[in-house]
Structure formats: C-alpha cells, structure tokens
C-alpha cells in the first residue's frame, strides 16, 4: 500500500534536463536512471518527449522509455507531446499521461513548437478529441502547462491577463489539468501567488495543475513556498537540477529534486520520497553522463543532524 502524500513531486529530469544538454544519454543508462528515481519513491516521472528526432535526437528513444517505464509498479509515466502526431505516438507506446506545452509568448511558441499560441490551443483540442475517441482503458490524461507564463527571454514581459485567458481556453478545449511553467526562470514569489490564485478562479480547483519552476535566477524554492501558500500541490523538478542554463553559468536548470523534497519534508509535507535514495540516483545519472555538472545543496552538505521526515521517520 503506497504511503499517502501531501505533495506530488513530478520528476522531469529525463525530459527537461536531458533535452537541455547536447549529449545524448544512452537508452539503457536512461532506464537505469528512471528505475533509480522510481525506487526513491517518486510517483511520477516525465520520461521524454515525442518530438521529431531531427529536432531533438536526445529524445528519439521516448517510445521505448515509455514502454519499459510502464513496467515499474506504481509509477505514472508522463510524456511530453507538442502536437497530435506526438500524442498518437505516445498512446501507441502506452503512455497514460501526456503533457502539452502551449506557450503564452508568441515568439517562444513559434520557436519552440512552430505554432502560434492560438494554434497550440487548437492542437490541445485535437489531442483531447483523439483522447475521447479511444476506449476508456487507453485514454490518457491530458495536462497542459503554459510555457513562458511568467516572462520570456525573447519577448520579455508576458501579459498576465493573456496567460489566464489561455488557461480558460485550454480548459474549454478539454485539458484535464492546466499548470503554469516558468520556462525561463523569470518568476518571483509575489507573481507566483497572484497567478496561481487567478488560475484557480479561472479554471476551478478540479482542473488545477502544478508549477513547473526553474532556478535560473535563484528564485526556485522561494517560488515553491509562494505556490504552497495558494494550495498548489504538484511541483516539477529535476534530479541534480540537470540541464543548467546556457545564459546563466552556475545556475541549475529545473529546481533540484533533492532540495525540494528536503524542504517539503522539513516543512511537514509528505512526498513519499527518500532523500538518500535520490542522492544515490545521482551516481546512476552520472554513470550515463560522465562529468555532467549537476547541482544541489542537500547532496553537497547532507541532511541536518536528527532530520525527521514529515511521516515521523527519523534519519540517524
Ligand atoms: Zn522547463
């Protein structure tokens, strides 16, 4: 019987982390890493992206990763799909949860998925219609996470009203849940609080998705606390903050899973994740990507003496 949790930590390293670095991790090594992540207690892992291998050769083995990861008991296997074609491929591989990245910034949307924001919303509608055409046991959950929701490296400020309008349109298009992504690491805690509050009043609590945060400007965990204060319960993060940021040397990519789990547990919020097992998973990651720079404070300095998990389990 899996332990009850308060917060879902959704590991995105195998997708967001690996697609941000140039090297391709061998499939076998990715699978070892995914298994190590799952055995730490993580319940959801984004294993890859169904995009053209011409664009992202690092993700070419996504079908195989979905098939193999589906064998891990108790794990929700998530795959990113930019469009209907990707969704069809993902479902053919057995994916039960899809995440789509419509972007609020016009320039980023065109750059990232070759569609305007309006076209990307239409694409979500097509994917939801495809979902509804499937027999119920094959129907995947469709999550949409609005990219560049807090600002864009190409356009700068992104209109908050526009982001919320997109969220409403995505809900109407049939998305099961809608989250907000700080793709560029621009968000601050006040903005996070304001935007998630507005998101909830626009789409309702049953469609509330999670927060996808990057630590590019060091605001990652502060932004998590802000989101917790407005009842966000799902957070994306990556082991070792894999991915980095080409524009900010020394800055991690996604928020670091190890530090996130530590903070949540120390605050009394159960994640079901074991921090020592996460730290062990870093070795597995580095075996597949020798000498890659990864981040994290807890892995550097260790757990505080007498640390107790939210479940009451103490570490000696
Ligand atoms: Zn990201």
């Amino acid at each position: 019987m899996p332990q009850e949790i308060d917060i879902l930590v959704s590991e995105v390293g195998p997708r967001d982390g690996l697609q941000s670095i140039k090297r391709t991790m061998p499939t076998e090594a990715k699978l070892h890493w995914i298994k190590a992540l799952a055995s730490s207690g993580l319940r959801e892992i984004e294993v890859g992206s169904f995009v053209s291998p011409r664009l992202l050769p690092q993700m070419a083995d996504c079908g195989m990763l979905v098939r193999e990861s589906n064998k891990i008991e108790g794990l929700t296997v998530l795959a990113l799909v930019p469009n209907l074609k990707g969704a069809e491929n993902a479902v053919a591989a057995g994916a039960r949860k899809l995440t789509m990245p419509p972007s609020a910034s016009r320039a980023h949307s065109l750059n990232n998925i070759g569609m305007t924001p309006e076209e990307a919303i239409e694409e979500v509608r097509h994917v939801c219609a495809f979902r509804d055409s499937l027999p119920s046991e094959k129907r995947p959950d469709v999550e949409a996470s609005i990219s560049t929701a807090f600002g864009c490296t190409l356009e700068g400020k992104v209109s908050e009203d526009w982001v919320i309008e997109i969220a409403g349109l995505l809900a109407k298009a049939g998305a099961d849940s809608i989250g907000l992504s700080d793709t560029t690491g621009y968000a601050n805690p006040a903005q996070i609080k304001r935007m998630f509050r507005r998101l909830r009043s626009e789409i309702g609590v049953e469609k509330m998705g999670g927060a996808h945060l990057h630590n590019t400007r060091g605001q990652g965990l502060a932004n998590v606390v802000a989101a917790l204060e407005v009842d966000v319960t799902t957070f994306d993060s990556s082991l070792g903050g894999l991915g980095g940021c080409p524009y900010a040397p020394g800055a991690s990519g996604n928020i670091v899973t190890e530090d996130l789990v530590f903070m949540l547990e120390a605050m009394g919020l159960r994640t079901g994740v074991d921090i020592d097992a996460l730290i062990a998973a870093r070795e597995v990651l580095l075996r597949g990507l020798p000498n890659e720079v990864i981040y994290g404070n807890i892995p550097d300095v260790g757990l505080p003496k007498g640390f107790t998990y939210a479940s009451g389990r103490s570490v000696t």
Side-chain angles (χ1 to χ4, degrees), residues 6-306:
D6 302 304
I7 300 292
L8 177 68
V9 175
S10 182
E11 169 67 39
V12 298
R15 198 278 302 168
D16 207 342
L18 289 182
Q19 80 167 41
S20 316
I21 58 177
K22 287 212 168 59
R23 283 193 285 172
T24 297
M25 190 169 174
T27 307
E28 215 30 45
K30 285 189 192 177
L31 274 171
H32 280 141
W33 181 35
I34 290 167
K35 283 179 189 153
L37 289 166
S39 69
S40 75
L42 289 160
R43 316 265 167 118
E44 185 171 287
I45 302 178
E46 196 169 315
V47 298
S49 174
F50 283 91
V51 285
S52 155
R54 205 168 27 83
L55 296 175
L56 279 179
Q58 303 97 307
M59 297 285 122
D61 54 2
C62 193
M64 160 84 96
L65 294 175
V66 167
R67 270 189 295 274
E68 288 300 314
S69 307
N70 267 342
K71 296 177 186 162
I72 303 172
E73 214 188 304
L75 181 69
T76 302
V77 177
L78 193 57
L80 186 137
V81 301
N83 50 34
L84 179 60
K85 176 101 191 95
E88 288 168 348
N89 291 337
V91 168
R96 301 305 311 271
K97 188 167 176 185
L98 312 178
T99 182
M100 297 191 71
S103 187
S105 147
R106 208 158 284 276
H108 179 265
S109 187
L110 288 167
N111 229 13
N112 193 39
I113 49 176
M115 290 181 242
T116 64
E118 292 81 1
E119 286 165 343
I121 295 164
E122 268 313 291
E123 205 63 25
V124 171
R125 188 189 312 284
H126 295 320
V127 168
C128 291
F130 166 61
R131 172 200 62 201
D132 296 340
S133 74
L134 293 166
S136 59
E137 73 281 2
K138 283 201 168 163
R139 236 171 257 167
D141 228 49
V142 178
E143 157 192 295
S145 193
I146 304 174
S147 295
T148 62
F150 301 92
C152 172
T153 39
L154 303 167
E155 284 187 1
K157 280 210 167 67
V158 168
S159 154
E160 296 187 355
D161 290 346
W162 170 231
V163 172
I164 297 303
E165 189 183 331
I166 293 176
L169 293 169
L170 290 168
K172 284 200 192 84
D176 295 298
S177 65
I178 297 137
L180 300 177
S181 286
D182 183 21
T183 316
T184 53
Y186 274 29
N188 66 69
Q191 191 185 16
I192 289 277
K193 232 168 154 166
R194 184 167 67 239
M195 289 298 281
F196 275 97
R197 220 178 245 146
R198 287 190 67 182
L199 177 68
R200 178 193 313 272
S201 64
E202 180 72 24
I203 62 172
V205 68
E206 51 306 319
K207 286 206 180 227
M208 270 298 278
H212 176 98
L213 303 170
H214 282 247
N215 198 38
T216 322
R217 289 175 180 76
Q219 308 300 299
L221 290 184
N223 287 336
V224 172
V225 174
L228 287 171
E229 285 174 6
V230 289
D231 299 325
V232 174
T233 56
T234 300
F235 293 92
D236 292 356
S237 61
S238 74
L239 192 83
L242 182 68
C245 174
Y247 311 105
S252 78
N254 295 100
I255 52 173
V256 175
T257 305
E258 301 88 311
D259 294 346
L260 172 67
V261 169
F262 166 70
M263 185 185 79
L264 293 170
E265 293 284 344
M267 289 173 77
L269 297 164
R270 295 166 300 174
T271 62
V273 182
D274 183 82
I275 296 165
D276 290 323
L278 283 179
I279 291 171
R282 290 163 72 94
E283 296 304 316
V284 183
L285 165 62
L286 290 175
R287 250 181 269 144
L289 280 179
N291 305 317
E292 189 65 34
V293 178
I294 56 174
Y295 307 90
N297 290 92
I298 288 299
D300 282 351
V301 300
L303 288 168
K305 197 177 166 85

